[in-house]
Amino acid sequence: MNDLMYNNISEIENLFSNKKVAIFDLDGTIADTESLHWEAYNELLEPYGVTLQKEHIQKYIGHSEVQIYKMIHEDFNMHFDEEKFFKDRINKFLKLVQKKNLKPFPFIIEFLKKYKDSCSFMIVTSQIPTVVNNLLSFWNFDEYFSVQNRFFCHDGVYKKSEIYRNVAKYIGIESITPDEVILFEDSPHYIQEAKKVGISVVGIEHRYNASTLTSCDAILTSEFQNKKIDMNIMYRRIKQEDKEQINDLYMKLLNNHGSNVGMGYRISRLGL
């Protein structure tokens, strides 16, 4: 099995050649919002003596705010005023976004610019409208994602799997078939749901879902902060090795260096 590494979207144009619709998850997919979300969670949970570790975060990713609260209550046998916690957490998160000037991943910007005239873009996310709309405005992304093409799955009104099965209905374009749709997503569960109906998937790998993405047509790896090791070079050195060896080395580097591992961008073409 070969692992093919690329630096940008343009080097996998064949994957997008016939696509008419591109669906984007938000958190952890368009930008490294996950880190700031969990930072906000942990700041607010500190008075309760609770700190969410990586194993908790990995379990919570992809769930709505309400679902995460329920999981926290069950995991730590504790309770808090959910309405107040919700307001405080969202405010803290949005302040962190501005304070740290959070930017979208470069490969996402590249894709949006390159395909804005040939693809219709959708946001399909478990995140709430306030956060999504604030982020898209902060990034000047309103031109890419019209209000009618933003679907919020946090309260059960929309379901991601239902949208994947009926893209033409939700996007308002007749005769769209699954092979004309591409999804950018970081949740293994929703990646599998999209693949079930024949949608091409680009998985977005980051520190919280490393080595958990399967069934993707390609994987884009987000760039970890504070680069110390050029992972592109490391992958090229072992690109003839099998997937398991690559992932083993990757996890050892993460365990030894944490956020000091600089990922660059990686695309793994799986099943080759």
Side-chain angles (χ1 to χ4, degrees):
M1 182 185 298
N2 291 328
D3 226 39
L4 305 180
M5 277 65 66
Y6 301 93
N7 291 320
N8 52 57
I9 289 290
S10 63
E11 293 179 281
I12 53 168
E13 286 185 338
N14 62 307
L15 192 58
F16 313 120
S17 58
N18 69 325
K19 300 303 184 279
K20 296 180 180 178
V21 176
I23 303 174
F24 294 82
D25 174 48
L26 179 71
D27 289 316
T29 295
I30 290 182
D32 185 20
T33 52
E34 295 286 4
S35 294
L36 300 189
H37 277 302
W38 301 118
E39 183 175 341
Y41 266 103
N42 276 331
E43 284 189 28
L44 291 173
L45 288 171
E46 186 177 3
Y48 298 91
V50 170
T51 300
L52 302 182
Q53 303 295 338
K54 185 177 179 180
E55 60 268 23
H56 302 117
I57 293 170
Q58 287 178 327
K59 183 169 69 171
Y60 300 161
I61 282 177
H63 293 280
S64 69
E65 194 90 7
V66 173
Q67 291 171 323
I68 291 172
Y69 293 166
K70 182 179 179 181
M71 295 166 84
I72 291 174
H73 295 331
E74 292 175 351
D75 288 344
F76 296 96
N77 193 28
M78 51 85 71
H79 296 275
F80 47 76
D81 184 328
E82 292 187 5
E83 185 175 351
K84 182 178 185 305
F85 188 95
F86 172 77
K87 291 179 181 179
D88 290 346
R89 199 199 71 74
I90 296 303
N91 287 333
K92 187 173 289 292
F93 167 75
L94 292 174
K95 288 179 180 178
L96 285 170
V97 168
Q98 294 193 17
K99 179 181 178 181
K100 300 192 177 185
N101 195 26
L102 181 68
K103 301 291 187 183
F105 296 133
F107 49 76
I108 295 294
I109 297 173
E110 183 181 354
F111 181 89
L112 294 175
K113 289 181 176 178
K114 190 175 185 67
Y115 294 97
K116 65 179 180 180
D117 295 326
S118 59
C119 262
S120 295
F121 300 141
M122 302 171 67
I123 287 278
V124 180
T125 175
S126 300
Q127 191 51 261
I128 63 171
T130 299
V131 170
V132 176
N133 295 335
N134 269 277
L135 286 173
L136 294 181
S137 178
F138 182 67
W139 296 327
N140 295 315
F141 273 10
D142 290 321
E143 65 174 303
Y144 299 119
F145 299 100
S146 61
V147 174
Q148 62 266 32
N149 286 346
R150 302 175 188 181
F151 297 92
F152 309 103
C153 305
H154 64 291
D155 56 5
V157 174
Y158 295 111
K159 293 184 178 180
K160 286 190 173 186
S161 56
E162 171 66 17
I163 293 174
Y164 299 159
R165 288 193 295 268
N166 298 280
V167 173
K169 169 187 172 182
Y170 289 98
I171 195 70
I173 301 176
E174 294 183 3
S175 302
I176 290 292
T177 57
D179 66 303
E180 295 174 314
V181 180
I182 190 164
L183 170 69
F184 289 77
E185 175 63 73
D186 70 326
S187 166
H189 172 71
Y190 291 118
I191 287 171
Q192 292 179 8
E193 288 295 304
K195 291 300 295 181
K196 285 179 185 178
V197 299
I199 291 176
S200 299
V201 178
V202 177
I204 308 299
E205 186 180 68
H206 48 67
R207 69 192 72 189
Y208 299 118
N209 68 1
S211 300
T212 66
L213 304 185
T214 59
S215 305
C216 301
D217 296 279
I219 295 176
L220 284 168
T221 302
S222 60
E223 184 173 26
F224 288 12
Q225 299 174 356
N226 303 319
K227 288 197 290 186
K228 297 294 183 182
I229 300 174
D230 186 342
M231 283 297 292
N232 275 335
I233 292 175
M234 295 300 292
Y235 273 108
R236 288 189 187 105
R237 287 177 183 170
I238 59 173
K239 66 181 181 179
Q240 298 303 320
E241 303 295 327
D242 63 27
K243 182 72 176 178
E244 288 73 23
Q245 288 175 307
I246 291 174
N247 285 336
D248 286 346
L249 174 60
Y250 175 39
M251 294 308 298
K252 287 177 183 177
L253 288 169
L254 284 180
N255 291 333
N256 291 336
H257 300 278
S259 62
N260 288 330
V261 176
M263 292 299 297
Y265 314 131
R266 176 172 69 88
I267 293 177
S268 300
R269 295 299 302 278
L270 303 182
L272 300 180

